[in-house]
Amino acid sequence: MRTWAKRIALALAALLVAAAGTLVVIYGPALAFLMDIAGYRGAVRALLPDRPVAFTTRDRQVPTRDGPLLARIYTPARSPSHTVVVFPGVHGGGVDEPRLATFCGRLASTGLEVVCAPLPELRHFLITHHSTDAIEDVTLDVANDPSLTPRGRVGLVGVSFSGGLALVAAGRPRLRGRLEAVLSLGGYGDLPRALRFLCTGELPDGSHRTPHDYGLAVIALAAVPQLVPADQTAALERGIRTFLEASLDDSPAQTRASALVADARAQAAALPEPARGILDATLDRRVDTLGRLLAPLVDSLASDPALSPERSPITDAPVFLLHGRDDNVIPSTETPLAAADLIRRGNPHVQWLLTPLLSHADLGGHAALTDGWHLLSFWRRVLTAIG
């Protein structure tokens, strides 16, 4: 090879190596985070220089206007860069719920102080303004605590239904100037619109997607007082809650789920009508039957402005909206609509992404390389904003 050609080849090789090194520096932390959350332990992860930071945990009671709330604090071994408050969605598990603990632990292992705060009403499968109030109170308490947040500003993360509630809380006056950024993961912009999807399967553009029976059961639980006589409400609520608890068992054997469903069917057999028919439809996952019954009640169940970002004052903090493209609990159509509403009302700092690499609030699935790149780029911007 001629000398000039060899020099060009060496220069190009050096440029490629430098470019690869730059990409690892810029995108490595986000890629490491996503791989760790997904449980990937392959060769690519081993090559990344970013290693999880050790962390410790402790529990703490956080005051709210409705009483103290148990939160778990994840503290990295090195001095934390920033603080993030995480609120999970409608789930019976508390701070020990495995997927939640994994998510919060991985955030902490990037060097963030993480405060994880499952909300009491959401743990009982109820969506009310008390959860919005609790998000506001807990976030402000953490922001005001110099031992947790020396900067006085925190990142706010809401998952699933907490994603919508977190956006509402973020727009309240007491949190103005206290938020680094807000991340809604699988959240919504308007609760009545999201619940109507669960009842009908219809999306705003007229297309159809089969809704998830879990979300429909949550609506049914809220609607019980409007569905049955007063002397049947307690028993029907207990039966629906048993079904919802069973739905949370994601173990391979499904032993707990089977036992809970059997218990719920025994409860249904002892109920009079109409409670028996409603519980049977819930247990049999007859979404069409339940949907037709619940659709007329959506507006009365979800009209409180404290439950919908699009019906509440907006935050001026940067907002990130991330959603699984094929989500059938909260439809992904909620994310672009929520983003458009925020921008229209004066918040230009809004970024959003729909991705096939998420289900409802879990990372996984297969997609094109470009989808992976979009998720990586988006998550890098999230981590930069919150920490």
Side-chain angles (χ1 to χ4, degrees), residues 54-137:
F55 60 86
T56 58
T57 63
R58 67 187 188 279
D59 292 345
R60 164 177 164 175
Q61 295 286 339
V62 181
T64 76
R65 70 195 72 180
D66 294 313
L69 179 156
L70 179 66
R72 176 159 293 169
I73 301 171
Y74 295 70
T75 302
R78 71 185 188 205
S79 180
S81 56
H82 292 77
T83 304
V84 177
V85 191
V86 176
F87 296 94
V90 179
H91 196 291
V95 292
D96 293 312
E97 198 278 314
R99 288 177 299 178
L100 177 63
T102 297
F103 179 71
C104 292
R106 186 61 191 102
L107 279 175
S109 71
T110 66
L112 293 168
E113 185 101 35
V114 180
V115 180
C116 173
L119 301 169
E121 290 220 333
L122 295 187
R123 291 189 63 190
H124 287 87
F125 311 106
L126 298 173
I127 305 170
T128 76
H129 71 89
H130 293 290
S131 290
T132 312
D133 295 342
I135 292 174
E136 178 188 2
D137 293 345

Side-chain angles (χ1 to χ4, degrees), residues 41-58:
R41 298 290 183 269
V44 175
R45 178 65 184 95
L47 291 173
L48 294 175
D50 299 276
R51 293 290 176 262
V53 177
F55 60 86
T56 58
T57 63
R58 67 187 188 279

Side-chain angles (χ1 to χ4, degrees), residues 271-297:
L271 289 174
E273 294 294 347
R276 179 174 181 170
I278 294 169
L279 185 51
D280 281 340
T282 303
L283 293 170
D284 294 338
R285 305 175 188 271
R286 284 183 266 136
V287 294
D288 290 343
T289 300
L290 271 181
R292 284 192 298 270
L293 186 65
L294 297 172
L297 305 177

Side-chain angles (χ1 to χ4, degrees), residues 1-23:
M1 181 183 292
R2 294 182 179 179
T3 301
W4 63 267
K6 183 183 293 186
R7 288 176 179 173
I8 291 176
L10 290 173
L12 287 173
L15 183 61
L16 289 173
V17 170
T22 301
L23 287 174

